[in-house]
Amino acid sequence: MRNLLAKSADRGLLFLEEHTLHVVQAIEAFAKAYSFDQELAIKGAILHDLGKGHPVFQAMLLDKPKEHREGWLKKLAGSEAIRKELRWRDLDKVPTHRHEYSSLAFLPLFPKKEWPALIEMVVAHHKSIVGDKSGRGLLDLLEEEAGDPSMILETHLNYYEEWAPAAIEVASTFGLPKIEISEEEASDALKYAIDYVESMPNDWSPHRGLLMTADHFASGFQNETTKKTLKLFKVPDTKPYEQRTKSERAYLYPLSQVKVDVAKKHTLVTAPTGAGKTDFLVRRCKGRIFYTLPFQASINAMYKRFKDDFPEEDIRRVHAASKVSLETEPAGKRIAEEASEDVDMQHHPGASIKVMTPHQLSALVFGTPGHESIALDVRGQDVILDEVHTFSDKAQRMVLEIVQRLIVLECSVHIGTATLPTALAHRLLTILGGSDSVYQVELDEHILEDFDRHVIYKSHEGSPIDRAGMDSIIDLAIAEGERILIVANQVKRAQEIYESLRQKHSNIPIVLIHSRYRRKDRAKLEKEVIELQDPSFGTQAAIAVATQVVEVSLDISYDRMITEAAPLDALIQRFGRVNRKRKPKSERKLRPIHVLAPSEKPREVLPYDIEVVKRSYEVLPDGDVFKEKMTQSLLDEVYPESAPIPTSNDYQFIEGDHCRMKKLEHRPRGVIIEALGIEGQCCVLASEVEEYRYARHDKKPLYEIPVPGNFNRYNKLAIEQSGSYPLILPDERYKFDEKDRRGLIAEKQVSPNAQIL
């Protein structure tokens, strides 16, 4: 008998037994994949939402729209109590109630030896037990009552006789005994749970992660749950990569000729762009693959590459705007429904290959929401960390801590880089267990000579290159019909260069890309930057102006680069966007890279350290070939010892064997923003606020423009009270049309340190 609801009107007014069935279906699949006791896991799924039968929760589900209330009240158990709670809601008098705690009243349906695991699955599957941002964690509520649980018991067992039989009826449809549980027994069970949670040790709870994973998955797919679980947890078939090692062009990629069947758990490979690092690292993997890259553009490019290489595999990508890029891609081989499925699936576990930034793994270090679910999904799998050197000092610390957690979780860690200072390599090797555990791969010097592709110029017509010299170089390149890539270190300067070139060269295609765009616009620009350098584009000259968003793994190959001075490792990554495609020796041609002299003003060199930038500039040749075989010695000259990395801080919830957090606790996501100094704010245009407010949660990112956390200190703007609580930006401050695509225009100068992307 369907007489209790589990979901509100905007989620389809799903009945409790329907949602419970979906969670049972999901948890059965996840428990099998993660080697849990499936029978116990299913019991947790049955128990987890029985407390939704409470009249306070049922009233919340029927709150809006009001015209549907009476029709539903006639069908629901405890209708008079629900009607009473609806009247209180109409008066804005809503009691503090968490359905998870009411669910624990039904623990007597199960053997007592199973109660601890069931409590861990149920009591915190939405809220942290303590320090929750809503203040509704179980221990938060207990503290409000000065440690007296009587009010919690009264609130969560209120109207018990009117709704509990219906909840027990739901449980019985899943094979549990249809027994009567007195209110006294229910109260004792809830008190047991409170005592258990109060005595919780510092640790993490796999059982909590299991239930949360299943609940989120089932809520997302509902009647499609079983079907969607069938494609999960498949190890990717890497045979296409093995086959490529035997192709006629394999000799162009020397890592394709290096054996991978070495009995060492981890990998550290250092090789230039185009040497075949991705294929090599993937061939080293035995399980499901988590592939991390630093930037959004890098992830989009790698995702597309994997989709082409593994058309039948479950490939996903996760970053702040990953939903947006799928929206803007042509359907191609995949119909629109499949693209929509990808959007819905991307954050869920079980992908064959998931492309992401390390920040998506940072919950393992900071203990933010869902850290248990992430730990379960990644445990024992293969994790590829690409270009780890590109991170700031603080972010490097995070990556090192992530590696330590991955080791504890029995993952195989594979690190690939074109530029890794020796001191940082030693740190990584130590964490990974040294040479006994790590397969180290470097290319011989005679092979590296085949990767010389660039001639570096620091002067033009006898003088260090400045803006005037840059304009002269551009004029010459345009006359030759070249595709030119210009890289600036700060958004504001990239916009200035773009605007100047747009005015001067209105007859040729010019594109600008940085991070201060609406997510949907950024995706279009990434596509244009890729299209602009394609040989099929024609013989006409073209210019792309960018910040560091083009620096890592964006699969582009321009004819010439003009770049501001930067740290050597960053410059080498930029160089890889010119003359990138591997060709036979007879077809190779050296391409020019022009490096502007660094400013003497530290602020103008930000976000980089001026001394590092100057050392990097000094070691570069002028008018000569950049020798790949010299890369390591030049890096070690610029970085004689590893930069100081901040020591562990209180944000890290596990340090070594010591855990700083209680089981079932998590910290707010804001600790990552605060600890790493990463962007924690966004804007929406004033004209789009209404659309944003009522957009689905998965559509809201389309409207958002990322900005640094200190943006409003310089730009006093109103805040929209929905979604990500974005700042409301006047439309005139955002330029994106056919003539002007500068993106966000800062009214006042925002700290350059926050503008690098």
Side-chain angles (χ1 to χ4, degrees):
M1 181 179 180
R2 297 182 172 185
N3 52 13
L4 293 174
L5 292 171
K7 301 290 181 182
S8 58
D10 62 345
R11 302 293 300 277
L13 282 172
L14 209 64
F15 285 103
L16 180 56
E17 50 263 57
E18 292 176 298
H19 172 62
T20 303
L21 174 62
H22 300 155
V23 180
V24 166
Q25 293 168 338
I27 210 166
E28 188 171 16
F30 293 132
K32 181 179 180 181
Y34 297 147
S35 300
F36 279 81
D37 181 329
Q38 286 181 270
E39 183 179 345
L40 179 61
I42 289 170
K43 289 178 179 179
I46 297 168
L47 175 67
H48 86 288
D49 270 356
L50 292 181
K52 286 185 173 181
H54 195 292
V56 170
F57 192 89
Q58 295 290 294
M60 180 191 72
L61 298 180
L62 294 178
D63 194 23
K64 295 175 183 178
K66 293 184 179 181
E67 58 268 23
H68 293 165
R69 286 181 179 178
E70 283 303 318
W72 279 100
L73 278 168
K74 294 175 183 177
K75 305 175 184 179
L76 300 180
S79 57
E80 287 306 311
I82 299 170
R83 187 176 280 108
K84 179 180 178 181
E85 288 300 325
L86 283 168
R87 288 196 294 268
W88 283 118
R89 293 187 73 86
D90 290 341
L91 296 171
D92 289 328
K93 296 182 178 180
V94 183
T96 299
H97 174 269
R98 293 301 311 167
H99 69 274
E100 306 96 306
Y101 312 151
S102 291
S103 295
L104 296 169
F106 301 98
L107 281 169
L109 293 173
F110 310 95
K112 199 160 188 176
K113 66 180 181 181
E114 297 175 344
W115 286 17
L118 293 172
I119 292 168
E120 289 190 26
M121 280 191 262
V122 174
V123 70
H125 71 270
H126 287 296
K127 304 288 183 186
S128 173
I129 57 169
V130 64
D132 192 82
K133 64 180 182 179
S134 70
R136 295 186 176 187
L138 183 59
L139 298 186
D140 296 327
L141 295 180
L142 194 62
E143 184 178 0
E144 275 186 26
E145 302 300 328
D148 182 0
S150 57
M151 185 58 70
I152 296 174
L153 297 172
E154 180 180 337
T155 301
H156 290 85
L157 298 177
N158 200 13
Y159 312 112
Y160 180 79
E161 298 295 337
E162 298 182 46
W163 65 275
I168 293 171
E169 182 76 28
V170 169
S172 72
T173 64
F174 294 94
L176 292 183
K178 190 175 179 181
I179 61 173
E180 181 180 337
I181 301 174
S182 69
E183 187 168 351
E184 182 179 359
E185 290 174 313
S187 180
D188 287 343
L190 187 48
K191 281 191 284 188
Y192 178 97
I194 293 171
D195 290 341
Y196 181 79
V197 171
E198 277 194 288
S199 63
M200 197 66 70
N202 285 13
D203 205 346
W204 71 284
S205 172
H207 281 105
R208 184 195 190 201
L210 176 65
L211 194 283
M212 290 176 72
T213 297
D215 192 25
H216 293 163
F217 192 91
S219 294
F221 295 108
Q222 298 187 8
N223 293 326
E224 295 285 295
T225 296
T226 296
K227 176 183 175 182
K228 298 298 184 186
T229 61
L230 295 178
K231 66 184 293 187
L232 302 180
F233 305 110
K234 308 289 186 184
V235 174
D237 181 358
T238 59
K239 287 179 183 176
Y241 281 25
E242 292 292 343
Q243 292 168 354
R244 283 212 288 251
T245 66
K246 301 175 179 63
S247 72
E248 292 182 358
R249 292 176 58 84
Y251 74 95
L252 293 172
Y253 307 95
L255 286 173
S256 69
Q257 309 305 304
V258 178
K259 63 181 181 179
V260 295
D261 55 342
V262 173
K264 294 187 179 183
K265 190 174 181 66
H266 312 298
T267 312
L268 176 59
V269 56
T270 305
T273 298
K277 284 195 299 295
T278 297
D279 284 33
F280 179 78
L281 291 172
V282 169
R283 288 192 297 123
R284 280 281 290 158
C285 297
K286 305 297 184 185
R288 293 185 295 115
I289 301 171
F290 294 78
Y291 198 114
T292 76
L293 284 160
F295 303 131
Q296 172 185 326
S298 318
I299 290 168
N300 291 340
M302 189 60 69
Y303 168 80
K304 291 170 185 174
R305 177 175 174 177
F306 281 140
K307 288 296 288 186
D308 290 340
D309 290 343
F310 302 106
E312 303 302 320
E313 302 284 5
D314 179 11
I315 314 294
R316 304 186 219 155
R317 60 176 157 186
V318 185
H319 57 68
S322 50
K323 298 178 183 180
V324 179
S325 296
L326 283 167
E327 299 280 342
T328 60
E329 289 172 5
K333 299 177 184 177
R334 305 188 303 279
I335 60 175
E337 287 80 2
E338 289 174 326
S340 176
E341 174 186 331
D342 283 340
V343 170
D344 292 335
M345 282 290 289
Q346 60 188 337
H347 289 281
H348 291 295
S352 296
I353 302 177
K354 185 175 283 190
V355 190
M356 60 209 302
T357 71
H359 291 91
Q360 269 75 54
L361 293 175
S362 64
L364 297 173
V365 173
F366 295 100
T368 47
H371 66 92
E372 300 99 334
S373 299
I374 294 171
L376 288 178
D377 195 32
V378 78
R379 186 165 62 182
Q381 306 305 319
D382 287 270
V383 180
I384 296 175
L385 297 172
D386 205 349
E387 310 303 353
V388 295
H389 69 280
T390 60
F391 296 96
S392 67
D393 291 348
K394 288 182 179 179
Q396 276 191 22
R397 178 68 199 188
M398 177 194 73
V399 172
L400 294 174
E401 291 288 343
I402 286 173
V403 172
Q404 290 180 332
R405 287 288 292 131
L406 294 174
I407 299 303
V408 172
L409 292 169
E410 301 179 344
C411 298
S412 295
V413 179
H414 311 288
I415 298 171
T417 179
T419 51
L420 191 66
T422 300
L424 180 57
H426 286 163
R427 283 188 172 178
L428 286 165
L429 278 170
T430 300
I431 293 172
L432 292 171
S435 57
D436 290 342
S437 301
V438 182
Y439 182 27
Q440 293 179 261
V441 178
E442 295 179 352
L443 299 180
D444 292 337
E445 284 194 1
H446 75 278
I447 295 176
L448 291 175
E449 289 175 356
D450 287 341
F451 284 83
D452 295 344
R453 289 171 284 192
H454 308 114
V455 178
I456 309 299
Y457 296 94
K458 297 192 290 188
S459 58
H460 180 67
E461 296 180 348
S463 300
I465 302 172
D466 55 14
R467 287 290 291 271
M470 182 177 81
D471 289 341
S472 176
I473 294 166
I474 291 170
D475 291 341
L476 292 171
I478 289 174
E480 294 295 322
E482 293 180 349
R483 279 87 162 176
I484 310 155
L485 179 60
I486 302 171
V487 185
N489 296 334
Q490 298 175 11
V491 170
K492 184 175 177 61
R493 282 207 295 274
Q495 290 173 323
E496 290 170 352
I497 293 169
Y498 164 78
E499 185 65 12
S500 173
L501 293 174
R502 192 171 64 88
Q503 298 295 332
K504 184 178 179 181
H505 302 287
S506 58
N507 60 325
I508 68 170
I510 302 176
V511 64
L512 170 69
I513 185 168
H514 52 74
S515 71
R516 305 287 181 251
Y517 290 102
R518 288 180 298 190
R519 311 284 192 183
K520 55 184 176 181
D521 298 336
R522 164 76 177 270
K524 294 175 185 176
L525 293 172
E526 283 182 21
K527 185 179 178 184
E528 288 182 17
V529 169
I530 294 171
E531 290 175 343
L532 212 57
Q533 53 83 52
D534 194 289
S536 63
F537 179 77
T539 58
Q540 184 183 14
I543 302 174
V545 182
T547 56
Q548 291 92 324
V549 295
V550 299
E551 199 169 282
V552 179
S553 292
L554 195 60
D555 193 13
I556 55 176
S557 186
Y558 278 73
D559 300 320
R560 183 185 298 261
M561 175 181 287
I562 303 170
T563 176
E564 293 185 337
L568 183 61
D569 47 335
L571 287 174
I572 292 171
Q573 292 300 322
R574 294 180 194 183
F575 298 170
R577 309 311 118 188
V578 169
N579 206 15
R580 178 179 175 85
K581 304 298 182 184
R582 291 286 289 159
K583 295 178 181 179
K585 194 170 185 177
S586 60
E587 300 176 23
R588 290 175 200 160
K589 181 179 179 181
L590 296 173
R591 289 289 181 179
I593 304 286
H594 307 271
V595 184
L596 276 67
S599 170
E600 293 295 329
K601 299 177 181 178
R603 182 174 178 82
E604 293 186 6
V605 179
L606 288 172
Y608 305 118
D609 178 88
I610 191 167
E611 295 305 320
V612 172
V613 172
K614 285 183 175 181
R615 289 200 301 270
S616 300
Y617 182 77
E618 289 301 320
V619 302
L620 290 173
D622 186 14
D624 204 350
V625 177
F626 184 85
K627 299 287 188 181
E628 287 289 346
K629 68 180 181 181
M630 298 298 293
T631 297
Q632 194 63 55
S633 63
L634 294 179
L635 280 168
D636 292 337
E637 189 174 341
V638 173
Y639 300 103
E641 57 185 38
S642 189
I645 295 179
T647 56
S648 297
N649 56 56
D650 288 339
Y651 294 126
Q652 294 161 227
F653 88 99
I654 291 181
E655 183 182 8
D657 296 329
H658 175 63
C659 183
R660 293 190 175 107
M661 261 181 7
K662 278 182 171 291
K663 258 189 178 186
L664 311 179
E665 179 185 356
H666 63 242
R667 291 171 172 164
R669 289 185 177 89
V671 302
I672 300 176
I673 294 170
E674 187 174 346
L676 300 181
I678 61 177
E679 297 187 353
Q681 185 60 275
C682 63
C683 295
V684 294
L685 299 182
S687 61
E688 295 181 340
V689 168
E690 200 72 9
E691 295 175 52
Y692 178 85
R693 186 176 298 154
Y694 294 105
R696 279 177 38 178
H697 73 281
D698 57 334
K699 301 294 184 184
K700 289 184 186 294
L702 289 165
Y703 302 90
E704 295 174 351
I705 306 165
V707 294
N710 66 349
F711 186 81
N712 214 27
R713 186 190 309 167
Y714 302 91
N715 303 266
K716 299 299 182 183
L717 302 172
I719 299 177
E720 162 59 20
Q721 299 297 314
S722 66
S724 299
Y725 287 72
L727 304 170
I728 301 174
L729 188 76
D731 283 31
E732 61 268 20
R733 298 267 304 280
Y734 186 79
K735 306 297 182 183
F736 196 86
D737 54 43
E738 289 306 312
K739 294 183 178 179
D740 187 352
R741 291 187 167 189
R742 283 178 291 164
L744 185 147
I745 309 299
E747 190 171 75
K748 295 184 180 180
Q749 178 65 39
V750 181
S751 168
N753 195 42
Q755 294 195 54
I756 62 168
L757 300 187

